[in-house]
Amino acid sequence: MKMVFNNKRSFMKSEFEQGHHWCRHRVKGCGFRMTIGREAVLDVLSRTEDHLSAEDIYMLVHETYPAIGLTSVYRTLDMLVNIGLVYKFDFGDGRARFELAEGPKGKDHHHHLVCTGCGRIVNYRDFIDEEVALLKKTEEGLSKKYNFAITNHLIQFYGLCEGCRKK
Amino acid sequence: MKMVFNNKRSFMKSEFEQGHHWCRHRVKGCGFRMTIGREAVLDVLSRTEDHLSAEDIYMLVHETYPAIGLTSVYRTLDMLVNIGLVYKFDFGDGRARFELAEGPKGKDHHHHLVCTGCGRIVNYRDFIDEEVALLKKTEEGLSKKYNFAITNHLIQFYGLCEGCRKK
DNA sequence: CTTGTTATTGAAAACCATTTTCATGTGCAA
DNA sequence: TTGCACATGAAAATGGTTTTCAATAACAAG
């Protein structure tokens, strides 16, 4: 899986040309240039179900594209969050975590269950439909009453997983 | 409203002895000493509907009890969060915000509507009952399926308030 | 009311995720 | 191919929060 590239161009062509067309178009459509670093960050995000921190992403991208700098990872993530391609979460451990807004197989709306003991995060899709239905209704009511244009919501459950409960 | 005290003891007796019995008992019941600083932090939290940052609290406590240090405010808040007397929130502006778990007039369960433009936060109680009912159901399902002991949940809506939308 | 133990405190320094600066490099439209 | 605005990496700065450590104070026991 790990590969070494002689130069940046060979890296770019080899594996990324295939996927993430929509992402790339979105980035360019928003007036940003599609660079190797940005492509690599998107690629890392698209290959995982985990909730990676900026440094996690930096280290993963670094494996195949060592020229990347942590600063650029932060800047790229910031841009991707701004154009809505990536979600940024705070699970209470002092570092932001990131997730592709649209999963590899299309829409993949889920919410999070966080273990306050070990930090483990479960993506759950159960009850999502009911939750989203209620959220939509709530959203409409709140929009009207408080005159907000609601763009997003966040639902998380906190608790202790089995392992952490035994301590 | 602003008062100056000659010494710490007079400060303590003058206004706090009356309120927050439950808080104080809880703190002591958990094996912690009830100090003037802790009392003052609880007092500030109990007098507001706002979502104060540690520094906000420090400055407010400082008005009547200048001997307090920012460090102690952080330590007190951490302790209060740990024993469940205070909730800690992240609204995405890089600083934690705190809120008494039980409002001045008893239970006051609400969720938050956050303006991503100016950071304004609305405490809404509308739809809370329906939300809580669904949350409870979801909670049970998740507990069973993922073997979590769920202790808490978080719901927030993000959007732009009227003022911020005009820009 | 004293006293002794031990938790708590304030100040300063350390920490650490994130942001900014700035000179260099590069995507891409022309 | 070329030019230039945007993007980048390294290093330094930022800023909220935590740690360190010696001094202080809460409070249980006497």
Side-chain angles (χ1 to χ4, degrees):
Chain A
M1 178 64 96
K2 184 182 281 187
M3 301 172 69
V4 177
F5 298 91
N6 301 328
N7 60 55
K8 294 168 178 179
R9 188 138 311 269
S10 70
F11 171 81
M12 189 173 96
K13 294 285 183 192
S14 65
E15 17 182 352
F16 300 130
E17 207 75 359
Q18 326 285 331
H20 317 310
H21 289 297
W22 67 95
C23 291
R24 309 175 63 196
H25 288 150
R26 179 69 162 282
V27 169
K28 301 193 86 170
C30 289
F32 296 102
R33 294 176 179 171
M34 181 47 66
T35 67
I36 302 157
R38 288 170 178 176
E39 193 102 42
V41 167
L42 279 169
D43 188 64
V44 162
L45 285 172
S46 75
R47 289 172 189 271
T48 185
E49 278 268 299
D50 293 342
H51 306 81
L52 304 175
S53 68
E55 189 151 10
D56 293 337
I57 295 167
Y58 166 70
M59 289 190 300
L60 287 168
V61 169
H62 196 268
E63 287 180 9
T64 53
Y65 180 45
I68 195 134
L70 179 55
T71 311
S72 284
V73 172
Y74 274 108
R75 277 187 289 228
T76 296
L77 289 169
D78 194 50
M79 182 265 287
L80 294 173
V81 168
N82 279 329
I83 66 177
L85 231 46
V86 165
Y87 293 138
K88 180 178 185 176
F89 291 99
D90 170 78
F91 295 124
D93 66 342
R95 63 189 60 198
R97 306 213 164 245
F98 302 87
E99 182 175 292
L100 212 53
E102 188 163 334
K105 292 134 193 152
K107 296 285 183 200
D108 170 38
H109 197 66
H110 60 263
H111 291 151
H112 298 123
L113 180 52
V114 182
C115 176
T116 50
C118 61
R120 189 161 71 91
I121 295 153
V122 173
N123 294 342
Y124 73 87
R125 282 98 180 161
D126 320 84
F127 314 101
I128 275 290
D129 292 343
E130 282 170 272
E131 284 179 12
V132 171
L134 177 57
L135 287 175
K136 189 155 216 157
K137 197 180 119 193
T138 305
E139 210 171 291
E140 280 169 20
L142 292 177
S143 294
K144 204 162 293 175
K145 177 162 183 182
Y146 298 104
N147 206 351
F148 261 67
I150 296 179
T151 54
N152 224 332
H153 66 252
L154 175 69
I155 293 195
Q156 288 173 194
F157 283 94
Y158 296 93
L160 284 175
C161 70
E162 191 175 8
C164 290
R165 222 165 332 126
K166 287 175 181 163
K167 294 164 195 168
Chain B
M1 180 64 96
K2 185 184 279 187
M3 302 172 68
V4 176
F5 297 91
N6 300 329
N7 60 55
K8 294 168 177 178
R9 189 138 308 270
S10 70
F11 171 79
M12 190 172 96
K13 294 285 183 191
S14 67
E15 19 178 353
F16 299 132
E17 206 75 359
Q18 326 284 331
H20 316 311
H21 290 296
W22 68 96
C23 292
R24 307 175 64 196
H25 289 150
R26 179 69 162 283
V27 170
K28 300 193 86 170
C30 290
F32 296 103
R33 294 177 181 172
M34 181 48 64
T35 66
I36 301 157
R38 286 171 179 175
E39 193 103 41
V41 167
L42 278 170
D43 188 64
V44 162
L45 285 171
S46 74
R47 289 171 189 271
T48 185
E49 278 269 300
D50 293 344
H51 306 81
L52 304 175
S53 67
E55 190 151 9
D56 292 336
I57 294 167
Y58 166 69
M59 289 190 299
L60 287 168
V61 169
H62 196 268
E63 286 180 10
T64 53
Y65 180 45
I68 195 133
L70 179 56
T71 313
S72 285
V73 172
Y74 274 108
R75 276 187 291 225
T76 296
L77 290 169
D78 195 50
M79 183 265 286
L80 293 172
V81 169
N82 279 329
I83 67 178
L85 231 47
V86 165
Y87 293 138
K88 180 178 186 176
F89 292 100
D90 171 79
F91 294 124
D93 66 342
R95 62 188 61 198
R97 306 214 163 245
F98 302 87
E99 181 174 292
L100 211 53
E102 189 164 335
K105 291 133 193 152
K107 296 284 183 201
D108 171 39
H109 197 66
H110 60 262
H111 292 153
H112 297 124
L113 181 51
V114 182
C115 176
T116 50
C118 60
R120 189 159 72 91
I121 294 153
V122 173
N123 294 342
Y124 73 87
R125 281 99 181 161
D126 320 81
F127 315 101
I128 273 291
D129 292 342
E130 280 170 274
E131 284 181 11
V132 170
L134 176 57
L135 289 175
K136 188 155 217 157
K137 196 180 118 193
T138 305
E139 212 169 290
E140 280 169 21
L142 293 177
S143 294
K144 204 164 292 177
K145 177 162 181 182
Y146 299 104
N147 206 351
F148 262 66
I150 296 180
T151 54
N152 225 330
H153 66 252
L154 176 69
I155 294 194
Q156 288 173 195
F157 284 94
Y158 296 93
L160 285 175
C161 70
E162 191 174 9
C164 291
R165 224 166 330 127
K166 287 175 180 163
K167 295 165 195 168

